């Protein structure tokens, strides 16, 4: 398997966690005899410092020639005074738009070993394993008309408008991704809308129901977004793939993040465009950058998503995820997931955590290869 990956480490803890993620990808390539090439590029604050632009043309050109883009995080307080379109975060928005991915995938998993890290009760989150598929290029964030009349005529009020709009084709393409993924998981799609009030949700619901007919092995259920917000907190284990439009997905996937317990544990992928984009959910965390406190597991789990969605190496993706489980079960903790001085827990740095996952992964791939050799 050949794979060319653009590595845009970015700012703050971005380079620290991305290093651990690429180490894992290198290990998978070595152990499995794959040919992975890594193409480094600048984005964010570091790119502004070195080139004057948060997304230099060279970075974008290189990214568009790769099979996948692995991004760390962007953001640096020293650029806070710049206008929004000149700040590091503008680089992220630009690359997301240029790569054109329309389906944002965000897993929310309850790790048994971290049950105490979630603000939800352990018995509530037990066995939760949700994959959000959020439509990313349509809906309220992009629909026209959009405006804010800041200078109303005499006797009128200031007024602002955003438009939630979807075409049928936009719903079909993201729904297909949700059903395909559910077919490889536990076979259930929960589609979220507000069809009791919004026409756009009625189109969404009718279209998703139509697409479902092509996937007889996948069960479809519809949920209204308000009750869904409650169900996620009450019975998260009931959900497998959750399909949502842009705004609802933005809110619900953040809400579901609490199941896992730390921002540092959450991976994401954006697929369906010219090149898939992979990034941990967290930002550049300037408060802990350079201290060795960053949790690299979100980035490492993001690397697993690269293997699954861009390399079709499902077994290896699972092996990375199982290695993460193993290290957590053995009690190793970065500061964000440690619970005081609990017995059986060993505090580790970013690098140590990366090495432990690497070790657990190498053992599992060795075992697999030995079984095949017998
Ligand atoms: P943040 O995600 O960087 O940090 C929020 C809190 O979570 C901080 O206390 C941080 O220390 C902690 N945290 C985050 N990731 C962690 C990890 N891997 N391990 C341990 N702890 C972790 O969000 P913020 O503080 O709101 O933003 C900081 C900068 O990052 C800003 O410039 C913001 O614009 C940017 N940002 C970038 C992205 C991105 O690149 N995708 C996302 C969000 C924020």
């Amino acid at each position: 398997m050949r794979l060319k990956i653009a590595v845009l480490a970015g700012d703050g803890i971005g380079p620290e966690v991305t290093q651990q993620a690429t180490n894992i990808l290198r290990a998978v390539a070595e152990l499995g005899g794959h040919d992975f090439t890594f193409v480094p590029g600048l984005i964010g604050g570091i790119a502004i410092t070195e080139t004057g632009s948060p997304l230099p043309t060279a970075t974008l050109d290189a990214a568009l020639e790769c099979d996948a883009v692995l991004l760390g995080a962007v953001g640096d307080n020293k650029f806070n005074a710049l206008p929004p379109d000149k700040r590091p975060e503008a680089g992220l928005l630009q690359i997301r738009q240029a790569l054109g991915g329309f389906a944002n995938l965000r897993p929310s998993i309850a790790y048994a070993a971290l049950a105490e890290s979630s603000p939800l009760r352990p018995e509530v989150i037990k066995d939760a394993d949700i994959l959000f598929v959020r439509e990313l290029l349509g809906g309220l964030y992009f629909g026209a008309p959009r405006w804010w009349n800041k200078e109303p005529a005499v006797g009128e009020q200031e007024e602002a408008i955003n438009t939630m709009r979807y075409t049928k084709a936009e719903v079909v393409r993201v729904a297909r991704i949700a059903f395909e993924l559910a077919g490889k998981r536990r076979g259930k799609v929960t589609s979220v809308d507000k069809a009791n009030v919004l026409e756009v949700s009625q189109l969404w619901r009718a279209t998703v129901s139509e697409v479902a007919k092509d996937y007889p092995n996948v069960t479809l259920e519809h949920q209204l977004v308000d009750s869904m917000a409650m169900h996620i907190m009450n019975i998260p284990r009931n959900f497998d793939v959750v399909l949502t439009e842009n705004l609802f997905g933005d809110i619900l996937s953040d809400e579901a993040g609490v199941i896992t317990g730390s921002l540092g544990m959450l991976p994401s992928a954006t697929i369906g465009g010219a090149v898939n984009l992979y990034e941990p959910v967290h930002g550049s965390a300037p408060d802990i950058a350079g201290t060795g406190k960053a949790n690299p597991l979100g980035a490492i789990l993001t690397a697993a998503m690269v293997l699954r969605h861009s390399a079709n190496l499902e077994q290896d993706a699972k092996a990375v995820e199982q290695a993460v489980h193993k290290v957590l079960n053995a009690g190793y903790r970065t500061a964000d997931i440690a619970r005081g001085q609990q017995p059986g827990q060993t505090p580790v740095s970013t690098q140590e955590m990366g090495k432990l996952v690497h070790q657990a992964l190498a053992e599992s791939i060795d075992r697999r290869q030995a079984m095949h050799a017998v």
Side-chain angles (χ1 to χ4, degrees):
M1 170 78 211
R2 298 187 102 165
L3 199 70
K4 204 164 147 190
I5 306 164
V7 180
L8 316 182
D11 306 316
I13 63 168
E16 301 165 38
V17 298
T18 306
Q19 176 75 56
Q20 302 312 317
T22 51
N23 284 350
I24 292 297
L25 290 170
R26 279 202 176 88
V28 168
E30 248 170 59
L31 294 162
H34 307 299
D35 178 8
F36 291 178
T37 317
F38 299 90
V39 182
L42 295 172
I43 193 166
I46 176 85
I48 298 175
T49 304
E50 295 199 12
T51 72
S53 160
L55 180 65
T57 312
T59 300
L60 183 56
D61 290 349
L64 285 167
E65 285 192 358
C66 286
D67 305 301
V69 175
L70 176 63
L71 199 140
V74 299
D76 185 331
N77 291 339
K78 78 178 181 211
F79 299 108
N80 283 357
L82 291 178
D85 60 326
K86 301 271 187 295
R87 281 162 62 158
E89 293 81 353
L92 185 58
L93 299 180
Q94 285 164 19
I95 197 161
R96 283 180 183 160
Q97 213 158 19
L99 298 181
F102 58 82
N104 180 234
L105 314 185
R106 256 179 74 170
S108 279
I109 297 172
Y111 293 89
L114 298 185
E116 296 297 330
S117 300
S118 170
L120 299 176
R121 288 202 311 274
E123 66 270 25
V124 170
I125 59 171
K126 189 170 181 288
D127 299 329
D129 177 356
I130 308 177
L131 177 64
F132 280 87
V133 177
R134 166 189 167 196
E135 202 290 330
L136 206 61
L137 294 184
L140 204 56
Y141 295 177
F142 293 95
R146 59 183 303 156
W147 45 259
W148 176 7
N149 180 8
K150 295 183 182 176
E151 292 172 2
V154 179
E156 287 183 7
Q157 294 201 38
E158 269 191 57
E159 195 181 358
I161 283 187
N162 289 99
T163 303
M164 188 184 273
R165 177 181 174 278
Y166 273 103
T167 64
K168 187 166 179 170
E170 284 170 334
V171 183
V172 167
R173 66 182 186 175
V174 72
R176 287 208 179 283
I177 286 186
F179 281 99
E180 298 284 343
L181 290 170
K184 295 177 191 158
R185 291 171 47 101
R186 301 193 305 280
K188 179 174 169 188
V189 168
T190 303
S191 175
V192 178
D193 59 43
K194 188 70 183 166
N196 53 344
V197 179
L198 303 173
E199 283 77 3
V200 67
S201 280
Q202 289 156 13
L203 169 71
W204 180 277
R205 189 175 281 216
T207 307
V208 173
S209 300
E210 215 174 293
V211 171
K213 291 182 188 143
D214 293 340
Y215 300 88
N217 296 329
V218 176
T219 310
L220 168 65
E221 71 172 6
H222 299 282
Q223 286 283 352
L224 296 173
V225 62
D226 38 357
S227 40
M228 186 65 184
M230 266 197 314
H231 294 323
I232 287 175
M233 293 293 99
N234 283 334
I235 33 164
R237 80 179 64 88
N238 274 10
F239 302 104
D240 177 14
V241 171
V242 174
L243 168 65
T244 74
E245 65 87 51
N246 203 345
L247 170 70
F248 299 161
D250 194 1
I251 297 168
L252 292 180
S253 62
D254 265 20
E255 183 197 5
V258 304
I259 292 169
T260 305
S262 169
L263 196 49
M265 293 290 305
L266 302 174
S268 84
T270 302
I271 68 173
V275 184
N276 292 348
L277 174 65
Y278 299 87
E279 43 182 330
V281 169
H282 62 75
S284 60
D287 53 333
I288 55 166
T291 64
K293 284 189 183 157
N295 184 345
L297 296 181
I300 288 173
L301 293 166
T302 300
M305 295 187 86
V306 173
L307 297 169
R308 174 169 294 126
H309 299 290
S310 280
N312 207 16
L313 293 172
E314 178 60 30
Q315 257 195 332
D316 292 307
K318 281 217 171 87
V320 173
E321 289 161 353
Q322 279 157 8
V324 168
H325 275 277
K326 193 170 171 195
V327 168
L328 291 174
N329 289 340
Y332 295 105
R333 300 282 186 272
T334 44
D336 59 314
I337 49 174
R339 298 279 294 178
Q341 300 285 319
Q342 294 230 343
Q345 286 197 5
T346 312
V348 290
S349 67
T350 310
Q351 261 200 344
E352 287 164 336
M353 185 60 106
K355 273 194 193 146
L356 286 160
V357 177
H358 183 292
Q359 215 175 325
L361 173 70
E363 283 165 14
S364 102
I365 293 184
D366 275 352
R367 247 194 331 272
R368 190 170 84 207
Q369 287 171 344
M371 272 168 62
H372 279 303
V374 174

